[in-house]
């Protein structure tokens, strides 16, 4: 649940709060009765908890003109559906979602363009996180990592290719349509020396050879828990959550930044078209892209900063990928948005069902 400061318990105050929420002013947690309340749509559970504490609560405490609430959703596709359903009268003002899904929203007119004149910290976002079309920039970077159970695996893997050396029935892979599977496809193609935009057939053939080693293509509740428990010895997952759960498991799960290619995933922060509180939303967007907020969230959940002036403690930099790392494999997520369905079908026919 979103973390909001309590306003009191009397019926009068509760009624006032309900009225305020409907009108969009006098938001919860603010001493200013004229404060503007905005809603940020983003990922539920771990992301919501950590982002609220590290970024939203700090912003709310820093001023009393704007109050930000977090609205959770399970994934980007769910967010897109919500935005489509209420496009005539949106209830959220900003959305944090995967770049390829946000691109669909851009095409459908669900998001507004933003500029560095309106949001100055956009100028500090590194090139990888800039929108060529002027829409919402990156707000977090994540990347695919290799996971392993530290009790079961005596020789830790070094990269993606080491998965093919795993024992049978020991690997968890989140298959497409999950973009972790698509990222694995691109990294596999890269290791074969192929251009994924030309053809993924060699990569699909290589992945089909991995199939006998896989014990699940749909890890439940996520890919990290089977590796932690030892149900799977290996897996692939996103670095931010992997690092968090590695700590939470007291080292039962190890996390490896692949030495044979880093595949970045990009979440963008997007201004919802039709928001009646666009000025306040842009102000929070600027804060979300600030050095302070980027550093705070990286330290809370190991997402790599998207701004050039961020400085992290050594114990954090050792556990997040650098957007300037020469080992990064270029992924055109906008191009891939139009290919995802076809790639998913190839997986279903030739990898999962092969």
């Amino acid at each position: 649940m979103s973390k909001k400061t309590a306003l009191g318990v009397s019926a009068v105050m509760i009624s006032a709060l309900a009225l305020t929420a409907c009108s969009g002013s006098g938001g919860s947690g603010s001493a200013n009765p004229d404060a503007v309340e905005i809603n940020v749509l983003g990922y539920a559970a771990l992301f919501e908890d950590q982002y609220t504490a590290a970024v939203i609560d700090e912003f709310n405490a820093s001023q009393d003109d704007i109050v930000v609430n977090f609205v959770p959703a399970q994934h980007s596709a769910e967010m897109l559906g919500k935005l489509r359903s209420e496009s005539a009268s949106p209830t959220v003002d900003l959305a944090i979602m995967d770049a390829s899904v946000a691109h669909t929203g851009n095409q459908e007119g669900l998001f507004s363009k933003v500029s560095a004149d309106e949001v100055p910290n956009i100028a500090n976002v590194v090139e990888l996180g800039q929108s060529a079309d002027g829409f919402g920039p990156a707000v977090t970077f994540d990347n695919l990592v290799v996971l392993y159970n530290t009790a079961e695996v005596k020789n830790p893997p070094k990269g993606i290719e080491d998965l093919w050396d795993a024992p049978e029935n020991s690997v968890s892979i989140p298959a497409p349509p999950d973009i972790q599977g698509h990222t694995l496809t691109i990294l596999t193609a890269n290791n074969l020396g192929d251009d994924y935009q030309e053809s993924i057939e060699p990569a699909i053939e290589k992945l089909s050879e991995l199939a006998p080693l896989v014990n699940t293509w749909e890890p439940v509740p996520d890919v990290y828990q089977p590796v932690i428990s030892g149900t799977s010895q290996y897996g692939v997952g996103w670095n931010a959550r992997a690092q968090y759960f590695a700590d939470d498991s007291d080292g039962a799960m190890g996390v490896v930044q692949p030495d044979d290619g880093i595949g970045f995933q990009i979440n963008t922060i997007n201004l919802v078209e039709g928001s009646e509180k666009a000025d306040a939303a842009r102000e929070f967007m600027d804060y979300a892209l600030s050095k302070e907020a980027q550093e705070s969230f990286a330290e809370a959940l190991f997402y790599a900063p998207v701004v050039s002036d961020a400085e992290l403690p050594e114990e954090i930099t050792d556990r997040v990928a650098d957007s300037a790392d020469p080992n990064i494999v270029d992924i055109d997520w906008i191009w891939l948005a139009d290919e995802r369905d076809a790639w998913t079908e190839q997986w279903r026919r030739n990898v999962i069902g092969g």
Side-chain angles (χ1 to χ4, degrees):
M1 298 294 291
S2 298
K3 298 177 181 176
K4 301 179 183 178
T5 304
L7 290 184
V9 295
S10 73
V12 173
M13 294 183 76
I14 292 172
S15 298
L17 175 59
L19 179 61
T20 293
C22 292
S23 66
S25 63
S28 62
S30 174
N32 179 3
D34 297 319
V36 177
E37 188 169 0
I38 65 169
N39 295 319
V40 178
L41 183 63
Y43 301 106
L46 182 60
F47 187 102
E48 174 188 4
D49 292 342
Q50 299 299 318
Y51 196 77
T52 298
V55 181
I56 290 177
D57 285 351
E58 293 299 319
F59 176 79
N60 287 342
S62 70
Q63 46 73 55
D64 61 2
D65 293 327
I66 301 168
V67 174
V68 180
N69 300 316
F70 193 101
V71 179
Q74 293 302 313
H75 44 68
S76 294
E78 181 181 315
M79 297 183 214
L80 185 64
K82 175 179 175 62
L83 292 165
R84 283 168 168 166
S85 70
E86 57 184 44
S87 60
S89 184
T91 62
V92 296
D93 307 286
L94 293 166
I96 296 173
M97 60 167 56
D98 179 74
S100 61
V101 179
H103 175 65
T104 301
N106 295 339
Q107 291 180 313
E108 296 180 7
L110 298 176
F111 298 126
S112 300
K113 293 187 177 184
V114 290
S115 69
D117 290 336
E118 301 166 311
V119 182
N121 280 321
I122 286 179
N124 296 328
V125 175
V126 299
E127 184 178 357
L128 180 64
Q130 294 283 352
S131 168
D133 298 321
F135 288 98
V139 71
T140 68
F141 289 143
D142 207 352
N143 68 283
L144 204 71
V145 290
V146 181
L147 317 172
Y148 68 98
N149 181 281
T150 56
E152 296 292 332
V153 177
K154 303 308 178 185
N155 296 309
K158 295 181 179 180
I160 297 295
E161 286 192 337
D162 290 337
L163 292 172
W164 277 259
D165 295 327
E168 287 192 7
N169 202 40
S170 69
V171 184
S172 288
I173 300 291
D178 193 307
I179 64 169
Q180 293 172 90
H182 290 310
T183 308
L184 179 60
T185 306
I186 291 170
L187 296 179
T188 302
N190 181 71
N191 286 338
L192 293 172
D194 295 329
D195 182 346
Y196 69 89
Q197 291 184 320
E198 295 294 328
S199 173
I200 60 165
E201 289 184 8
I204 291 293
E205 183 177 349
K206 178 72 172 177
L207 288 162
S208 70
E209 298 171 6
L210 185 64
L213 313 182
V214 174
N215 57 24
T216 178
W217 298 107
E218 296 183 65
V220 176
D222 52 51
V223 71
Y224 315 102
Q225 303 311 315
V227 176
I228 290 169
S229 69
T231 303
S232 299
Q233 294 180 35
Y234 300 88
V236 296
W238 294 125
N239 182 66
R241 285 171 173 78
Q243 297 288 352
Y244 183 90
F245 287 125
D247 288 346
D248 194 54
S249 71
D250 293 326
M253 182 176 69
V255 182
V256 174
Q257 300 286 353
D259 63 1
D260 54 358
I262 295 173
F264 261 52
Q265 181 264 346
I266 300 172
N267 285 317
T268 56
I269 185 166
N270 307 278
L271 178 62
V272 175
E273 177 69 23
S275 166
E276 296 181 353
K277 307 160 193 172
D279 287 343
R282 282 188 284 261
E283 187 168 337
F284 175 73
M285 182 188 290
D286 194 55
Y287 178 80
L289 298 173
S290 69
K291 178 180 186 292
E292 174 188 357
Q294 289 286 306
E295 291 171 352
S296 179
F297 194 47
E299 293 183 34
L301 198 54
F302 302 101
Y303 279 92
V306 303
V307 295
S308 58
D309 56 348
E311 298 175 302
L312 301 177
E314 184 176 349
E315 63 269 21
I316 301 298
T317 57
D318 288 344
R319 301 176 67 181
V320 301
D322 187 337
S323 61
D325 193 319
N327 203 31
I328 290 175
V329 176
D330 183 37
I331 300 178
D332 187 340
W333 288 110
I334 305 307
W335 177 89
L336 186 57
D338 296 327
E339 302 294 326
R340 286 174 63 172
D341 289 346
W343 282 27
T344 299
E345 185 57 31
Q346 288 206 51
W347 265 77
R348 287 174 176 162
R349 289 199 318 263
N350 302 313
V351 179
I352 300 173

